[in-house]
Amino acid sequence: MARDHDHDHDHPHDHSELSETEVRVRALETVLTEKGYIDPAALDELIETYETRVGPKNGARVVARAWSDPAFRTWLLEDATAAIRSLGYIGRQGEHMVAVENTATTHNLVVCTLCSCYPWPVLGLPPVWYKSPAYRSKAVRDPRGTLADFGVALPEETEIRVWDSTAEVRYLVVPMRPAGTEGWSEEALAGLVSRDSMIGTGLALAPGRTGEMKP
Amino acid sequence: MNGAQDLGGMMGFGPVQPEPHEPPFHAEWERRAFAITLAMGAAGSWSLDASRFARESLPPARYLTSSYYQIWLAGLERLLEERGLVGADEIATGHALTPPKPVRRVLKAADVAATLGRGGPVDRPPTAPARFAVGDAVLARNMHPEGHTRLPRYVRGRAGVVEAIHGCHVFPDSNAAGRGEQPSWLYGIAFRGRELWGEGTDPRLVVRVDLWEPYLEGA
């Protein structure tokens, strides 16, 4: 039977626990599926990919290789797209890669002031703070203040280069290799490479402070 | 366009708030919004540039008070409605009310890995020689187009130096508007912090911005 004509519309509906946004997403997914524009199984696969397979561990492996293999480091700095591809990290939002290296005198920091451009194949999906107005507005004008928000202080004489990803070129920061890691395996080195250190809002971890990164 | 997306240099948003051990998604609806956006992008009815324009076309007050995936969702709804693929009445009722229109392809689960792996490279063969060389002094044009642009406001009218030539890339301003890719040379331009932000700026700050040739003039 159809809904009573005197149905009270202030009365909670069956999805009363859902926010307006949740209702809209559900509605849209249903309509797109009914119209045959999308395959729900493909959605599950997309989510699975970025929740469990693609993440900053990929980038950490790239950095650890650059730290241990001088030829790879040179290749990475000259043609990051090809060097990163050689490790199997390719595809969407990583089509045109550039690696920038931190040194004793220069620190690099990456931002996208216009949206949320980020190198997905090596870092996964960007964290909320990377996409936030606070970070996008402040990083290009006051990078030292931005770094302070992350608890990072650099010597006053360090040059700071901020990379605004305004095109499809995606940037990966190669942090400085921590002291006391001579002779470490690539795998052990990768454990010191935090996601933030590859954006430039952090530094590589000191030995003994291994990161806890998702895949 | 001079929308709320163009945030470089704005003040008042407070400190950046990192979240330790942040998960890729914070709610089930974010997972679904992310995935339907990517799946519909793969359907081939619009470009990435067009979807960026749809998001930044939100009224500034709404853009700045929406969460990231709410902005994605609003942009997606706009693109679907503009192209007649989904009507507002269908989103309101949560069911298809009109027959589907043809789309170029439907992304299947088995094709996800290959599709993501291919990505969408935007480099194109040059149609003319590059106008600028590494080391050249350039000026970012002072232009305020109402359509999509990737020339941030904070560099307009400012002097910089060409540091890199990335090759010819799809030009977002024309591509977002459906006027074709019009590949143009893309340069990495270095701006001194003081040139952008004036007195009191850290003298050791350099900001590198990727800018297409139509955004630049010789200095």
Side-chain angles (χ1 to χ4, degrees), chain A residues 21 24 29 34-35 44 51 92 95 113 116 128 137 144 149 160-162 164 166 168 171, chain B residues 5 9 16 22 31-32 52 68 70 77 90 95-96 116 120 150 154 163 202 204 206 208 210:
Chain A
T21 301
R24 284 187 91 81
E29 184 177 340
E34 286 178 357
K35 292 203 159 198
D44 295 336
E51 277 202 318
R92 196 179 162 83
E95 296 93 341
T113 61
S116 56
V128 167
S137 60
R144 281 180 198 274
D149 294 341
I160 301 191
R161 295 178 66 85
V162 180
D164 190 354
T166 45
E168 303 299 342
Y171 293 92
Chain B
Q5 87 290 351
V16 184
E22 180 173 326
R31 288 187 182 88
R32 307 312 288 182
R52 287 189 181 127
Y68 180 71
Q70 282 176 329
E77 288 179 350
E90 294 177 308
H95 285 289
L116 293 174
R150 298 291 284 182
Y154 73 87
E163 274 192 349
D202 184 341
R204 289 164 202 87
V206 173
R208 260 285 296 264
D210 290 328

mmCIF file of all heavy atoms in Angstrom, chain A residues 21 24 29 34-35 44 51 92 95 113 116 128 137 144 149 160-162 164 166 168 171, chain B residues 5 9 16 22 31-32 52 68 70 77 90 95-96 116 120 150 154 163 202 204 206 208 210:
data_model
loop_
_atom_site.group_PDB
_atom_site.id
_atom_site.type_symbol
_atom_site.label_atom_id
_atom_site.label_comp_id
_atom_site.label_asym_id
_atom_site.label_seq_id
_atom_site.Cartn_x
_atom_site.Cartn_y
_atom_site.Cartn_z
ATOM 1 N N THR A 21 24.293 13.984 3.554
ATOM 2 C CA THR A 21 25.346 13.595 2.612
ATOM 3 C C THR A 21 25.316 12.093 2.354
ATOM 4 O O THR A 21 25.411 11.642 1.206
ATOM 5 C CB THR A 21 26.730 13.996 3.151
ATOM 6 O OG1 THR A 21 26.742 15.411 3.360
ATOM 7 C CG2 THR A 21 27.828 13.627 2.181
ATOM 8 N N ARG A 24 22.552 11.255 0.031
ATOM 9 C CA ARG A 24 22.827 11.668 -1.362
ATOM 10 C C ARG A 24 23.789 10.692 -2.039
ATOM 11 O O ARG A 24 23.625 10.362 -3.215
ATOM 12 C CB ARG A 24 23.405 13.086 -1.393
ATOM 13 C CG ARG A 24 22.387 14.164 -1.166
ATOM 14 C CD ARG A 24 22.998 15.547 -1.380
ATOM 15 N NE ARG A 24 22.867 16.029 -2.747
ATOM 16 C CZ ARG A 24 21.772 16.587 -3.243
ATOM 17 N NH1 ARG A 24 20.720 16.726 -2.479
ATOM 18 N NH2 ARG A 24 21.733 17.005 -4.483
ATOM 19 N N GLU A 29 24.684 6.554 -6.011
ATOM 20 C CA GLU A 29 25.224 5.244 -6.385
ATOM 21 C C GLU A 29 24.113 4.347 -6.952
ATOM 22 O O GLU A 29 24.321 3.644 -7.947
ATOM 23 C CB GLU A 29 25.896 4.559 -5.190
ATOM 24 C CG GLU A 29 26.545 3.233 -5.589
ATOM 25 C CD GLU A 29 27.297 2.534 -4.451
ATOM 26 O OE1 GLU A 29 27.658 3.200 -3.464
ATOM 27 O OE2 GLU A 29 27.505 1.314 -4.572
ATOM 28 N N GLU A 34 21.631 1.725 -11.504
ATOM 29 C CA GLU A 34 20.413 1.389 -12.254
ATOM 30 C C GLU A 34 20.533 1.800 -13.722
ATOM 31 O O GLU A 34 20.006 1.145 -14.610
ATOM 32 C CB GLU A 34 19.196 2.073 -11.618
ATOM 33 C CG GLU A 34 18.756 1.423 -10.305
ATOM 34 C CD GLU A 34 17.568 2.116 -9.644
ATOM 35 O OE1 GLU A 34 17.099 3.158 -10.156
ATOM 36 O OE2 GLU A 34 17.116 1.614 -8.606
ATOM 37 N N LYS A 35 21.239 2.905 -13.949
ATOM 38 C CA LYS A 35 21.385 3.371 -15.334
ATOM 39 C C LYS A 35 22.503 2.634 -16.074
ATOM 40 O O LYS A 35 22.716 2.866 -17.264
ATOM 41 C CB LYS A 35 21.653 4.879 -15.342
ATOM 42 C CG LYS A 35 20.432 5.693 -14.880
ATOM 43 C CD LYS A 35 20.483 7.118 -15.398
ATOM 44 C CE LYS A 35 19.091 7.714 -15.378
ATOM 45 N NZ LYS A 35 18.973 8.905 -16.228
ATOM 46 N N ASP A 44 34.043 -1.427 -5.322
ATOM 47 C CA ASP A 44 34.705 -2.168 -4.240
ATOM 48 C C ASP A 44 36.189 -2.350 -4.541
ATOM 49 O O ASP A 44 37.038 -2.232 -3.655
ATOM 50 C CB ASP A 44 34.044 -3.544 -4.051
ATOM 51 C CG ASP A 44 32.595 -3.411 -3.585
ATOM 52 O OD1 ASP A 44 32.254 -2.371 -2.986
ATOM 53 O OD2 ASP A 44 31.802 -4.342 -3.838
ATOM 54 N N GLU A 51 42.814 1.432 -0.152
ATOM 55 C CA GLU A 51 42.838 1.204 1.298
ATOM 56 C C GLU A 51 43.904 0.202 1.700
ATOM 57 O O GLU A 51 44.400 0.252 2.822
ATOM 58 C CB GLU A 51 41.469 0.710 1.793
ATOM 59 C CG GLU A 51 40.508 1.845 2.042
ATOM 60 C CD GLU A 51 39.375 1.483 2.989
ATOM 61 O OE1 GLU A 51 38.839 0.368 2.859
ATOM 62 O OE2 GLU A 51 39.035 2.317 3.831
ATOM 63 N N ARG A 92 47.697 6.341 -12.348
ATOM 64 C CA ARG A 92 46.909 7.542 -12.107
ATOM 65 C C ARG A 92 47.516 8.443 -11.034
ATOM 66 O O ARG A 92 47.838 8.008 -9.947
ATOM 67 C CB ARG A 92 45.505 7.105 -11.683
ATOM 68 C CG ARG A 92 44.482 8.192 -11.771
ATOM 69 C CD ARG A 92 43.123 7.668 -11.350
ATOM 70 N NE ARG A 92 42.263 8.787 -11.035
ATOM 71 C CZ ARG A 92 41.595 9.489 -11.924
ATOM 72 N NH1 ARG A 92 41.667 9.159 -13.193
ATOM 73 N NH2 ARG A 92 40.852 10.502 -11.559
ATOM 74 N N GLU A 95 51.617 10.015 -13.372
ATOM 75 C CA GLU A 95 52.008 9.924 -14.781
ATOM 76 C C GLU A 95 53.257 10.754 -15.070
ATOM 77 O O GLU A 95 54.029 10.427 -15.972
ATOM 78 C CB GLU A 95 50.872 10.411 -15.689
ATOM 79 C CG GLU A 95 49.600 9.569 -15.622
ATOM 80 C CD GLU A 95 48.592 10.080 -14.610
ATOM 81 O OE1 GLU A 95 48.995 10.845 -13.708
ATOM 82 O OE2 GLU A 95 47.401 9.720 -14.696
ATOM 83 N N THR A 113 47.882 24.301 -3.916
ATOM 84 C CA THR A 113 47.045 25.393 -3.391
ATOM 85 C C THR A 113 45.671 25.415 -4.044
ATOM 86 O O THR A 113 44.740 25.997 -3.508
ATOM 87 C CB THR A 113 47.709 26.772 -3.609
ATOM 88 O OG1 THR A 113 47.894 26.986 -5.007
ATOM 89 C CG2 THR A 113 49.041 26.865 -2.895
ATOM 90 N N SER A 116 44.031 19.319 -4.621
ATOM 91 C CA SER A 116 44.587 18.289 -3.740
ATOM 92 C C SER A 116 45.565 17.400 -4.478
ATOM 93 O O SER A 116 45.694 16.235 -4.157
ATOM 94 C CB SER A 116 43.447 17.445 -3.181
ATOM 95 O OG SER A 116 42.693 16.907 -4.253
ATOM 96 N N VAL A 128 43.697 14.308 5.218
ATOM 97 C CA VAL A 128 42.761 15.441 5.275
ATOM 98 C C VAL A 128 43.500 16.771 5.404
ATOM 99 O O VAL A 128 43.142 17.754 4.758
ATOM 100 C CB VAL A 128 41.753 15.241 6.429
ATOM 101 C CG1 VAL A 128 40.995 16.534 6.706
ATOM 102 C CG2 VAL A 128 40.759 14.136 6.085
ATOM 103 N N SER A 137 46.579 27.219 2.116
ATOM 104 C CA SER A 137 46.749 28.673 2.138
ATOM 105 C C SER A 137 48.102 29.072 2.710
ATOM 106 O O SER A 137 48.729 30.017 2.248
ATOM 107 C CB SER A 137 45.624 29.316 2.953
ATOM 108 O OG SER A 137 45.628 28.834 4.287
ATOM 109 N N ARG A 144 57.678 28.032 7.080
ATOM 110 C CA ARG A 144 58.273 27.744 8.401
ATOM 111 C C ARG A 144 57.196 27.621 9.471
ATOM 112 O O ARG A 144 57.262 26.766 10.349
ATOM 113 C CB ARG A 144 59.293 28.816 8.783
ATOM 114 C CG ARG A 144 60.614 28.625 8.091
ATOM 115 C CD ARG A 144 61.621 29.709 8.479
ATOM 116 N NE ARG A 144 62.695 29.737 7.511
ATOM 117 C CZ ARG A 144 63.778 28.955 7.574
ATOM 118 N NH1 ARG A 144 63.927 28.113 8.569
ATOM 119 N NH2 ARG A 144 64.698 29.016 6.635
ATOM 120 N N ASP A 149 53.725 23.803 12.700
ATOM 121 C CA ASP A 149 52.473 23.100 13.027
ATOM 122 C C ASP A 149 52.697 21.586 13.109
ATOM 123 O O ASP A 149 51.928 20.870 13.747
ATOM 124 C CB ASP A 149 51.382 23.390 11.990
ATOM 125 C CG ASP A 149 50.932 24.852 12.005
ATOM 126 O OD1 ASP A 149 51.186 25.535 13.017
ATOM 127 O OD2 ASP A 149 50.322 25.293 11.016
ATOM 128 N N ILE A 160 64.141 27.258 1.831
ATOM 129 C CA ILE A 160 62.933 26.442 1.715
ATOM 130 C C ILE A 160 62.354 26.625 0.327
ATOM 131 O O ILE A 160 62.107 27.753 -0.127
ATOM 132 C CB ILE A 160 61.889 26.817 2.778
ATOM 133 C CG1 ILE A 160 62.499 26.618 4.166
ATOM 134 C CG2 ILE A 160 60.626 25.960 2.616
ATOM 135 C CD1 ILE A 160 61.537 26.692 5.294
ATOM 136 N N ARG A 161 62.192 25.511 -0.349
ATOM 137 C CA ARG A 161 61.576 25.527 -1.681
ATOM 138 C C ARG A 161 60.220 24.851 -1.581
ATOM 139 O O ARG A 161 60.125 23.686 -1.228
ATOM 140 C CB ARG A 161 62.467 24.804 -2.695
ATOM 141 C CG ARG A 161 63.801 25.510 -2.926
ATOM 142 C CD ARG A 161 64.699 24.751 -3.897
ATOM 143 N NE ARG A 161 64.133 24.720 -5.233
ATOM 144 C CZ ARG A 161 64.293 25.687 -6.139
ATOM 145 N NH1 ARG A 161 64.992 26.753 -5.860
ATOM 146 N NH2 ARG A 161 63.739 25.578 -7.329
ATOM 147 N N VAL A 162 59.182 25.625 -1.888
ATOM 148 C CA VAL A 162 57.827 25.092 -1.845
ATOM 149 C C VAL A 162 57.397 24.777 -3.272
ATOM 150 O O VAL A 162 57.554 25.608 -4.169
ATOM 151 C CB VAL A 162 56.853 26.109 -1.214
ATOM 152 C CG1 VAL A 162 55.443 25.525 -1.170
ATOM 153 C CG2 VAL A 162 57.304 26.490 0.185
ATOM 154 N N ASP A 164 54.354 24.025 -5.634
ATOM 155 C CA ASP A 164 52.892 24.092 -5.761
ATOM 156 C C ASP A 164 52.494 23.271 -6.992
ATOM 157 O O ASP A 164 52.838 23.632 -8.121
ATOM 158 C CB ASP A 164 52.457 25.563 -5.898
ATOM 159 C CG ASP A 164 50.929 25.716 -5.799
ATOM 160 O OD1 ASP A 164 50.226 24.703 -5.743
ATOM 161 O OD2 ASP A 164 50.468 26.884 -5.790
ATOM 162 N N THR A 166 50.534 22.821 -9.512
ATOM 163 C CA THR A 166 49.465 23.473 -10.261
ATOM 164 C C THR A 166 49.141 22.765 -11.572
ATOM 165 O O THR A 166 48.145 23.080 -12.210
ATOM 166 C CB THR A 166 49.848 24.931 -10.552
ATOM 167 O OG1 THR A 166 51.203 24.938 -10.989
ATOM 168 C CG2 THR A 166 49.714 25.784 -9.307
ATOM 169 N N GLU A 168 49.885 18.725 -13.824
ATOM 170 C CA GLU A 168 49.775 17.284 -13.543
ATOM 171 C C GLU A 168 51.113 16.690 -13.120
ATOM 172 O O GLU A 168 51.223 15.468 -12.954
ATOM 173 C CB GLU A 168 49.216 16.535 -14.756
ATOM 174 C CG GLU A 168 47.857 17.013 -15.249
ATOM 175 C CD GLU A 168 46.738 16.881 -14.221
ATOM 176 O OE1 GLU A 168 46.888 16.130 -13.252
ATOM 177 O OE2 GLU A 168 45.713 17.574 -14.402
ATOM 178 N N TYR A 171 55.074 15.736 -7.256
ATOM 179 C CA TYR A 171 56.391 15.847 -6.626
ATOM 180 C C TYR A 171 56.550 14.890 -5.449
ATOM 181 O O TYR A 171 55.632 14.717 -4.649
ATOM 182 C CB TYR A 171 56.620 17.289 -6.173
ATOM 183 C CG TYR A 171 56.725 18.219 -7.361
ATOM 184 C CD1 TYR A 171 55.595 18.870 -7.873
ATOM 185 C CD2 TYR A 171 57.935 18.396 -8.016
ATOM 186 C CE1 TYR A 171 55.685 19.692 -8.993
ATOM 187 C CE2 TYR A 171 58.032 19.214 -9.142
ATOM 188 C CZ TYR A 171 56.906 19.858 -9.625
ATOM 189 O OH TYR A 171 56.997 20.660 -10.739
ATOM 190 N N GLN B 5 38.619 27.924 -4.316
ATOM 191 C CA GLN B 5 39.651 26.888 -4.389
ATOM 192 C C GLN B 5 41.046 27.481 -4.424
ATOM 193 O O GLN B 5 42.012 26.812 -4.093
ATOM 194 C CB GLN B 5 39.436 26.013 -5.640
ATOM 195 C CG GLN B 5 40.066 26.510 -6.926
ATOM 196 C CD GLN B 5 39.401 27.768 -7.496
ATOM 197 O OE1 GLN B 5 38.362 28.188 -7.022
ATOM 198 N NE2 GLN B 5 40.004 28.368 -8.506
ATOM 199 N N GLY B 9 48.119 31.729 0.045
ATOM 200 C CA GLY B 9 48.387 33.024 0.673
ATOM 201 C C GLY B 9 47.275 33.563 1.531
ATOM 202 O O GLY B 9 47.461 34.550 2.244
ATOM 203 N N VAL B 16 47.619 24.208 10.770
ATOM 204 C CA VAL B 16 47.370 22.917 10.132
ATOM 205 C C VAL B 16 47.209 21.879 11.244
ATOM 206 O O VAL B 16 47.943 21.910 12.233
ATOM 207 C CB VAL B 16 48.544 22.531 9.204
ATOM 208 C CG1 VAL B 16 48.244 21.227 8.473
ATOM 209 C CG2 VAL B 16 48.831 23.652 8.219
ATOM 210 N N GLU B 22 46.281 8.628 10.307
ATOM 211 C CA GLU B 22 45.008 8.913 9.632
ATOM 212 C C GLU B 22 44.638 7.795 8.656
ATOM 213 O O GLU B 22 45.455 7.377 7.839
ATOM 214 C CB GLU B 22 45.142 10.236 8.884
ATOM 215 C CG GLU B 22 43.871 10.578 8.168
ATOM 216 C CD GLU B 22 43.907 11.971 7.544
ATOM 217 O OE1 GLU B 22 44.529 12.861 8.114
ATOM 218 O OE2 GLU B 22 43.295 12.123 6.485
ATOM 219 N N ARG B 31 34.178 6.490 1.213
ATOM 220 C CA ARG B 31 34.651 5.420 0.318
ATOM 221 C C ARG B 31 33.821 5.395 -0.974
ATOM 222 O O ARG B 31 34.354 5.331 -2.064
ATOM 223 C CB ARG B 31 34.484 4.049 0.977
ATOM 224 C CG ARG B 31 35.418 3.751 2.081
ATOM 225 C CD ARG B 31 35.263 2.291 2.520
ATOM 226 N NE ARG B 31 36.174 2.046 3.635
ATOM 227 C CZ ARG B 31 35.856 2.254 4.915
ATOM 228 N NH1 ARG B 31 34.648 2.654 5.242
ATOM 229 N NH2 ARG B 31 36.744 2.054 5.863
ATOM 230 N N ARG B 32 32.484 5.436 -0.787
ATOM 231 C CA ARG B 32 31.605 5.308 -1.954
ATOM 232 C C ARG B 32 31.708 6.557 -2.844
ATOM 233 O O ARG B 32 31.721 6.460 -4.073
ATOM 234 C CB ARG B 32 30.149 5.077 -1.542
ATOM 235 C CG ARG B 32 29.914 3.926 -0.584
ATOM 236 C CD ARG B 32 30.578 2.624 -0.951
ATOM 237 N NE ARG B 32 29.989 1.931 -2.089
ATOM 238 C CZ ARG B 32 30.418 0.757 -2.537
ATOM 239 N NH1 ARG B 32 31.448 0.142 -1.940
ATOM 240 N NH2 ARG B 32 29.840 0.204 -3.583
ATOM 241 N N ARG B 52 37.505 19.420 -12.127
ATOM 242 C CA ARG B 52 38.055 20.431 -11.213
ATOM 243 C C ARG B 52 37.231 21.722 -11.297
ATOM 244 O O ARG B 52 36.946 22.366 -10.284
ATOM 245 C CB ARG B 52 39.518 20.724 -11.557
ATOM 246 C CG ARG B 52 40.448 19.608 -11.162
ATOM 247 C CD ARG B 52 41.919 20.019 -11.311
ATOM 248 N NE ARG B 52 42.787 18.917 -10.941
ATOM 249 C CZ ARG B 52 43.765 18.438 -11.703
ATOM 250 N NH1 ARG B 52 44.034 18.987 -12.873
ATOM 251 N NH2 ARG B 52 44.494 17.427 -11.290
ATOM 252 N N TYR B 68 36.040 17.592 2.063
ATOM 253 C CA TYR B 68 36.666 17.302 0.772
ATOM 254 C C TYR B 68 35.769 16.450 -0.137
ATOM 255 O O TYR B 68 35.523 16.791 -1.292
ATOM 256 C CB TYR B 68 37.981 16.581 1.044
ATOM 257 C CG TYR B 68 38.763 16.206 -0.176
ATOM 258 C CD1 TYR B 68 39.395 17.176 -0.948
ATOM 259 C CD2 TYR B 68 38.904 14.874 -0.547
ATOM 260 C CE1 TYR B 68 40.136 16.820 -2.059
ATOM 261 C CE2 TYR B 68 39.641 14.511 -1.654
ATOM 262 C CZ TYR B 68 40.254 15.493 -2.404
ATOM 263 O OH TYR B 68 40.986 15.130 -3.508
ATOM 264 N N GLN B 70 32.598 15.944 0.189
ATOM 265 C CA GLN B 70 31.344 16.653 -0.116
ATOM 266 C C GLN B 70 31.532 17.540 -1.348
ATOM 267 O O GLN B 70 30.630 17.673 -2.173
ATOM 268 C CB GLN B 70 30.899 17.506 1.085
ATOM 269 C CG GLN B 70 30.248 16.692 2.195
ATOM 270 C CD GLN B 70 29.910 17.525 3.415
ATOM 271 O OE1 GLN B 70 30.586 18.501 3.736
ATOM 272 N NE2 GLN B 70 28.849 17.138 4.108
ATOM 273 N N GLU B 77 27.701 15.644 -9.062
ATOM 274 C CA GLU B 77 26.277 15.854 -9.344
ATOM 275 C C GLU B 77 26.101 16.918 -10.435
ATOM 276 O O GLU B 77 25.265 16.772 -11.338
ATOM 277 C CB GLU B 77 25.551 16.296 -8.068
ATOM 278 C CG GLU B 77 25.393 15.173 -7.043
ATOM 279 C CD GLU B 77 24.694 15.625 -5.762
ATOM 280 O OE1 GLU B 77 24.500 16.848 -5.581
ATOM 281 O OE2 GLU B 77 24.373 14.755 -4.948
ATOM 282 N N GLU B 90 16.131 12.502 -10.066
ATOM 283 C CA GLU B 90 16.615 11.147 -9.803
ATOM 284 C C GLU B 90 17.471 11.096 -8.539
ATOM 285 O O GLU B 90 17.376 10.154 -7.745
ATOM 286 C CB GLU B 90 17.403 10.631 -11.012
ATOM 287 C CG GLU B 90 16.504 10.454 -12.235
ATOM 288 C CD GLU B 90 17.268 10.019 -13.477
ATOM 289 O OE1 GLU B 90 18.278 10.688 -13.820
ATOM 290 O OE2 GLU B 90 16.859 9.044 -14.108
ATOM 291 N N HIS B 95 16.314 6.978 -7.472
ATOM 292 C CA HIS B 95 16.076 5.941 -8.480
ATOM 293 C C HIS B 95 16.109 6.528 -9.884
ATOM 294 O O HIS B 95 15.790 7.693 -10.081
ATOM 295 C CB HIS B 95 14.729 5.245 -8.243
ATOM 296 C CG HIS B 95 14.792 4.307 -7.088
ATOM 297 N ND1 HIS B 95 15.483 3.109 -7.129
ATOM 298 C CD2 HIS B 95 14.288 4.414 -5.839
ATOM 299 C CE1 HIS B 95 15.400 2.509 -5.956
ATOM 300 N NE2 HIS B 95 14.680 3.282 -5.156
ATOM 301 N N ALA B 96 16.473 5.687 -10.843
ATOM 302 C CA ALA B 96 16.475 6.100 -12.240
ATOM 303 C C ALA B 96 15.034 6.332 -12.693
ATOM 304 O O ALA B 96 14.166 5.490 -12.460
ATOM 305 C CB ALA B 96 17.152 5.036 -13.098
ATOM 306 N N LEU B 116 43.783 1.992 -13.700
ATOM 307 C CA LEU B 116 44.568 2.843 -12.810
ATOM 308 C C LEU B 116 46.026 2.867 -13.248
ATOM 309 O O LEU B 116 46.689 3.900 -13.199
ATOM 310 C CB LEU B 116 44.461 2.355 -11.366
ATOM 311 C CG LEU B 116 43.090 2.493 -10.703
ATOM 312 C CD1 LEU B 116 43.095 1.823 -9.329
ATOM 313 C CD2 LEU B 116 42.689 3.966 -10.565
ATOM 314 N N GLY B 120 46.268 8.710 -16.835
ATOM 315 C CA GLY B 120 45.856 9.612 -17.909
ATOM 316 C C GLY B 120 46.963 10.597 -18.225
ATOM 317 O O GLY B 120 46.866 11.769 -17.875
ATOM 318 N N ARG B 150 44.629 27.278 -14.124
ATOM 319 C CA ARG B 150 45.551 26.743 -13.119
ATOM 320 C C ARG B 150 46.648 27.772 -12.843
ATOM 321 O O ARG B 150 47.773 27.406 -12.457
ATOM 322 C CB ARG B 150 46.134 25.413 -13.600
ATOM 323 C CG ARG B 150 45.089 24.330 -13.812
ATOM 324 C CD ARG B 150 44.448 23.821 -12.544
ATOM 325 N NE ARG B 150 45.313 22.934 -11.795
ATOM 326 C CZ ARG B 150 44.943 22.326 -10.659
ATOM 327 N NH1 ARG B 150 43.733 22.548 -10.147
ATOM 328 N NH2 ARG B 150 45.772 21.524 -10.021
ATOM 329 N N TYR B 154 48.088 34.233 -6.541
ATOM 330 C CA TYR B 154 49.230 34.831 -5.826
ATOM 331 C C TYR B 154 50.467 35.017 -6.702
ATOM 332 O O TYR B 154 51.400 35.691 -6.285
ATOM 333 C CB TYR B 154 49.559 34.035 -4.549
ATOM 334 C CG TYR B 154 50.213 32.683 -4.754
ATOM 335 C CD1 TYR B 154 51.597 32.554 -4.865
ATOM 336 C CD2 TYR B 154 49.452 31.519 -4.809
ATOM 337 C CE1 TYR B 154 52.199 31.317 -5.027
ATOM 338 C CE2 TYR B 154 50.034 30.282 -4.972
ATOM 339 C CZ TYR B 154 51.413 30.187 -5.088
ATOM 340 O OH TYR B 154 52.000 28.957 -5.251
ATOM 341 N N GLU B 163 62.874 27.489 -14.537
ATOM 342 C CA GLU B 163 63.834 26.520 -14.000
ATOM 343 C C GLU B 163 63.723 25.156 -14.675
ATOM 344 O O GLU B 163 64.649 24.358 -14.585
ATOM 345 C CB GLU B 163 63.606 26.315 -12.493
ATOM 346 C CG GLU B 163 64.328 27.311 -11.631
ATOM 347 C CD GLU B 163 64.328 26.901 -10.158
ATOM 348 O OE1 GLU B 163 63.594 25.966 -9.766
ATOM 349 O OE2 GLU B 163 65.065 27.533 -9.403
ATOM 350 N N ASP B 202 60.525 35.642 4.542
ATOM 351 C CA ASP B 202 61.754 34.860 4.677
ATOM 352 C C ASP B 202 62.594 35.007 3.392
ATOM 353 O O ASP B 202 62.140 34.622 2.320
ATOM 354 C CB ASP B 202 61.354 33.393 4.884
ATOM 355 C CG ASP B 202 62.550 32.483 5.137
ATOM 356 O OD1 ASP B 202 63.690 32.871 4.800
ATOM 357 O OD2 ASP B 202 62.328 31.377 5.653
ATOM 358 N N ARG B 204 64.903 33.333 2.362
ATOM 359 C CA ARG B 204 65.342 32.035 1.823
ATOM 360 C C ARG B 204 64.188 31.218 1.260
ATOM 361 O O ARG B 204 64.320 30.015 1.030
ATOM 362 C CB ARG B 204 66.077 31.247 2.910
ATOM 363 C CG ARG B 204 67.431 31.855 3.228
ATOM 364 C CD ARG B 204 68.019 31.355 4.525
ATOM 365 N NE ARG B 204 69.007 32.306 5.021
ATOM 366 C CZ ARG B 204 68.707 33.337 5.790
ATOM 367 N NH1 ARG B 204 67.467 33.563 6.176
ATOM 368 N NH2 ARG B 204 69.655 34.172 6.180
ATOM 369 N N VAL B 206 61.681 30.137 -1.706
ATOM 370 C CA VAL B 206 61.427 30.105 -3.147
ATOM 371 C C VAL B 206 60.173 29.256 -3.367
ATOM 372 O O VAL B 206 60.033 28.195 -2.762
ATOM 373 C CB VAL B 206 62.623 29.476 -3.914
ATOM 374 C CG1 VAL B 206 62.286 29.295 -5.385
ATOM 375 C CG2 VAL B 206 63.876 30.326 -3.747
ATOM 376 N N ARG B 208 58.042 27.247 -6.248
ATOM 377 C CA ARG B 208 58.058 26.735 -7.630
ATOM 378 C C ARG B 208 56.633 26.412 -8.056
ATOM 379 O O ARG B 208 55.929 25.682 -7.371
ATOM 380 C CB ARG B 208 58.899 25.454 -7.680
ATOM 381 C CG ARG B 208 60.314 25.635 -8.202
ATOM 382 C CD ARG B 208 60.405 25.823 -9.697
ATOM 383 N NE ARG B 208 59.967 24.674 -10.464
ATOM 384 C CZ ARG B 208 60.788 23.745 -10.938
ATOM 385 N NH1 ARG B 208 62.082 23.805 -10.756
ATOM 386 N NH2 ARG B 208 60.297 22.734 -11.653
ATOM 387 N N ASP B 210 54.134 25.343 -11.523
ATOM 388 C CA ASP B 210 54.107 24.870 -12.910
ATOM 389 C C ASP B 210 53.104 25.712 -13.703
ATOM 390 O O ASP B 210 51.915 25.739 -13.373
ATOM 391 C CB ASP B 210 53.714 23.390 -12.954
ATOM 392 C CG ASP B 210 54.815 22.494 -12.401
ATOM 393 O OD1 ASP B 210 55.999 22.861 -12.568
ATOM 394 O OD2 ASP B 210 54.502 21.454 -11.803
#
